[in-house]
Each structure stands twice: as C-alpha cells, then as structure tokens.
Amino acid sequence: VSKQSHRKDEHVSLAIKFYDEKSHAGFDHLRFIHQGIPEISLNEVSLESYIDKIDLDFPFYIEAMTGGSEYTKKLNQSLAKIAEETGIAMATGSQSVALKDSTLSDSFSIVRETNPNGTIFSNIGASVDVKNAQKAVDMMDSNALEIHINTPQEIIMPEGDREFNWINNIKEINQNLNVPVIVKEVGFGMSAETIQLLIDNGVKNINISGKGGTNFSKIENYRRKEQELDYLSDWGQTTVESLLETKKAHVSDDITIIASGGIRTPLDAAKAISLGADAVGIAAPILYSLIKNGEDETVRFINDFKDGLINIMTMLGCRSISELKKIKMIADPYLQNYINQRNIPY
Ligand code: FNR
C-alpha cells in the first residue's frame, strides 16, 4: 500500500474513532420561534434546491470523504449506491492522489459506474492546475468540482504543503472549467474576508465547512508521532459563525452558499439553511452509519433526515427552501457577542 493510500485509510479510521454524534458547530446557540398556526400541510413542503445551475431534489448531500485506496474504493461504491437509492448528490474525497498515481483512478470512477445518472462532485486541492482539475472532473464525468482549502490541516501534517498562494489558481480553474466550481473548507470555517476574496475573484459557490464536526487538526495531530500540536485543536470558526460571516460579505443572489461541518440532525440543517445556506453537506455521520450499520441503515438514516426536514419546515410554515432561508432565529448571548464583535448584520 502506498503512503498516500495509507493516509486515506487512516483518515477514515480516525474520523470514526473521534466521531461525536453531537454537533459542536454552534447550532445550540440559535433557536427558531415556534408558530402555533402555520397554515400549511405537510405534503405542500418541497425540499428542492440548487447549487449554481445544478438542480437538487434534496438540500443535503454526501460530503467529500473517500477514494484513493482499495478500502476507500469499496466505501465510495457503497456511498454511490446509497446516493442513487436516496436520490441525493455526492462528493468524493480528494482526487489529487489519483492525478499523481493513475492506478488509483478506479477508486473514484467506481462512483460514476455505480450511479450513472447521479449528481456527483469532484474534489481536489487548491494547488492542482487547470489541466489536472479538468482531468479530475472527466474521471467521474462530474457535475461540479469542489476545490478544498485546508491550511491548518496541511500545517499540522508533517508531509503537508507549506505554500498557500492559492487565489490566482482558484480564479483560473473557475474561469476555465466546463462545470461549476465550489470552493470548500474542510472544517475550519471561513471569515467574511475569505468569502469576499473568493467572490471578488469570480467564485460563485462557497462551502464554508466550519468547525464543530469532523476535526482535521485533531486527526492530523493524532497521526504525528508526538501529538505536540494539540493546542490547535480548537482553531477556526464554527459552521454557525461562518454562515454569519457570509452576511458581512457582499453575497448577491447569484452566489450559492453551502454549509458543512457538524450537521448532525435535520434541525441543524434547517438552522444552516435559515442562516443562508442553499444546501448542506454531511460527511462523518454518513460514513459512521455505513461502517457501523451498513448500507440499508444508512439509506434509512438519509430518508429519515428528509422527513425530519419536512417536519420542521411544516412547523415553521415554509413551503420551500427559499422560504426557510428568510426565517430569522434568536441568538443566545454567547453568539450575540460574536455577532456584535464582528459587526455582523443579523
Ligand atoms: C473529509 N473531508 C474532506 N474534504 C475535502 O474537501 N476533501 C477530502 O479529501 C476530504 N476527506 C475527508 C475524509 C474523511 C474521512 C472525512 C470524515 C472528511 C472533510 C469533509 O468533506 C467535511 O468538510 C468535514 O468532514 C466536516 O463535515 P462533517 O464530517 O462534520 O459532517
């Protein structure tokens, strides 16, 4: 097994080891206002949403995790089956390894083979050039490309990148690819400044992937022999804080905001949407369910998640995702303090 493939397997086993079914992404600091007479029936609620030009039947999808080894090929195949059966979209883990070693391509292309008509997102690191970015998309005939930004993870990885001049490359990929491009964090969140920089460079789709779910500073620190960078384990903005940060940037109607990081329940997802997300990505809970409980249980988990969202939208009187996006919540004093110090218009 190559070093790269071994790392991919380690990410899976450590994400499962550290998995916490409770979210720490800040959703507990917000609550909806109950409406006693919502004047709506359950079957009027539509979960349809979109990312850029891509229609989604459901506003949540399987976020980027696996591929790049024999074991993660099997996981990708299972995730693709689950995505097909539930009709939700799916991203794969970073294909950067397969761009360097083509014998690993089949651990990604299996996703398109398994789910020929599904909505599939490619994933690469921000230093991959335009030509290879297009190759990653072609490998799975993908509907969109996620470019991940992950400075803390690289810094903590002994073998990680040490150069982070990314914006011109991101701009070039975004201009030259034949599918929509999403720029995504990996669980450290985004600031208004980062979001604005991306928008100013033409990026239309932003996944703020915040702190509070899978924690890559913990995972990479555990992979070090001496776990001496433990003091970085709380680095970043939570998913809720990052969504609030989008309100300080100039996010026009043609920009798609996606939330991930610590989305654990339909209530978390509903709150993320009400904070402005058009869709949410769920990573570790789906992987955990697949590994611990199998494919059928994971299909059930996803279908229950859809029902849960419909229930909440019904209680709030929202017939569509765009109506849910307009609902205002109440912040507790802790979160209000963040909102005040960052001058966020919420
Ligand atoms: C990830 N994540 C990730 N993200 C990415 O852009 N490229 C990648 O290759 C990976 N790899 C990866 C492996 C594993 C095992 C996990 C659990 C996660 C990050 C993921 O897409 C997401 O941003 C975070 O995991 C936060 O979401 P959850 O896990 O809290 O729902």
Side-chain angles (χ1 to χ4, degrees):
V1 182
S2 76
K3 230 175 162 176
Q4 303 252 38
S5 294
H6 182 62
R7 173 156 58 91
K8 298 296 162 183
D9 292 349
E10 273 191 329
H11 283 166
V12 170
S13 64
L14 291 175
I16 298 302
K17 178 185 168 74
F18 291 137
Y19 180 66
D20 184 349
E21 68 179 28
K22 198 179 156 1
S23 176
H24 301 275
F27 296 108
D28 288 350
H29 298 298
L30 288 160
R31 62 195 174 100
F32 285 115
I33 299 300
H34 170 61
Q35 303 296 346
I37 306 181
E39 291 296 288
I40 186 175
S41 58
L42 207 85
N43 61 16
E44 290 174 72
V45 176
S46 163
L47 293 182
E48 282 171 35
S49 195
Y50 60 87
I51 293 174
D52 207 317
K53 302 166 210 71
I54 303 165
D55 290 320
L56 302 175
D57 289 340
F58 306 100
F60 65 95
Y61 63 92
I62 304 173
E63 193 52 276
M65 290 185 283
T66 50
S69 67
E70 270 308 307
Y71 174 52
T72 55
K73 176 183 175 181
K74 289 206 186 82
L75 292 174
N76 263 349
Q77 184 176 27
S78 290
L79 292 173
K81 268 191 214 160
I82 291 162
E84 180 171 47
E85 208 166 319
T86 56
I88 67 174
M90 165 184 173
T92 66
S94 177
Q95 294 164 265
S96 301
V97 287
L99 296 168
K100 289 182 196 123
D101 175 358
S102 62
T103 64
L104 298 172
S105 307
D106 64 340
S107 67
F108 295 99
S109 54
I110 185 94
V111 172
R112 178 56 77 196
E113 276 164 44
T114 308
N115 188 6
N117 302 313
T119 298
I120 296 169
F121 304 151
S122 273
N123 188 291
I124 56 168
S127 52
V128 170
D129 63 21
V130 181
K131 215 178 105 208
N132 278 302
Q134 185 64 51
K135 259 194 191 167
V137 168
D138 295 342
M139 197 183 291
M140 302 193 294
D141 191 15
S142 301
N143 304 80
L145 172 74
E146 295 181 342
I147 303 177
H148 66 255
I149 54 175
N150 64 339
T151 315
Q153 180 184 10
E154 298 290 340
I155 290 279
I156 298 169
M157 266 199 281
E159 75 272 33
D161 289 344
R162 293 293 179 261
E163 282 177 33
F164 307 100
N165 302 297
W166 283 336
I167 194 64
N168 287 333
N169 191 48
I170 289 172
K171 184 177 181 177
E172 208 178 318
I173 296 175
N174 187 54
Q175 280 172 348
N176 290 293
L177 233 62
N178 64 2
V179 294
V181 168
I182 301 163
V183 174
K184 118 175 235 300
E185 251 291 348
V186 302
F188 299 101
M190 286 193 198
S191 65
E193 293 79 5
T194 301
I195 294 160
Q196 192 63 54
L197 182 67
L198 291 170
I199 291 173
D200 290 346
N201 281 279
V203 174
K204 292 265 181 287
N205 312 294
I206 299 175
N207 183 340
I208 54 83
S209 198
K211 188 182 69 167
T214 300
N215 183 333
F216 267 93
S217 58
K218 264 192 180 163
I219 289 176
E220 297 301 350
N221 192 46
Y222 193 88
R223 290 181 60 246
R224 295 174 73 101
K225 290 210 170 50
E226 320 268 333
Q227 291 162 40
E228 71 270 21
L229 299 189
D230 207 36
Y231 56 83
L232 291 177
S233 62
D234 200 34
W235 188 270
Q237 284 86 259
T238 65
T239 300
V240 163
E241 289 165 351
S242 304
L243 285 166
L244 287 167
E245 293 281 328
T246 66
K247 312 216 170 282
K248 225 176 112 174
H250 301 285
V251 177
S252 54
D253 285 344
D254 63 335
I255 306 286
T256 303
I257 299 293
I258 304 165
S260 59
I263 306 280
R264 296 292 173 265
T265 67
L267 185 57
D268 298 337
K271 287 178 178 177
I273 293 166
S274 128
L275 284 174
D278 298 292
V280 305
I282 305 173
I286 291 175
L287 189 66
Y288 186 87
S289 170
L290 172 62
I291 290 172
K292 297 284 175 188
N293 308 319
E295 287 175 14
D296 291 347
E297 274 304 311
T298 308
V299 166
R300 194 165 323 165
F301 169 82
I302 289 167
N303 287 333
D304 286 350
F305 207 99
K306 295 175 191 168
D307 291 342
L309 256 181
I310 290 175
N311 291 341
I312 292 164
M313 288 173 68
T314 302
M315 290 191 288
L316 292 170
C318 297
R319 287 169 178 77
S320 65
I321 295 301
S322 59
E323 284 181 22
L324 178 56
K325 280 177 71 179
K326 293 194 193 105
I327 300 278
K328 278 272 165 75
M329 293 178 288
I330 297 291
D332 72 3
Y334 177 89
L335 192 63
Q336 189 60 50
N337 180 49
Y338 184 94
I339 292 169
N340 294 346
Q341 286 197 45
R342 290 287 290 164
N343 280 316
I344 287 167
Y346 184 71

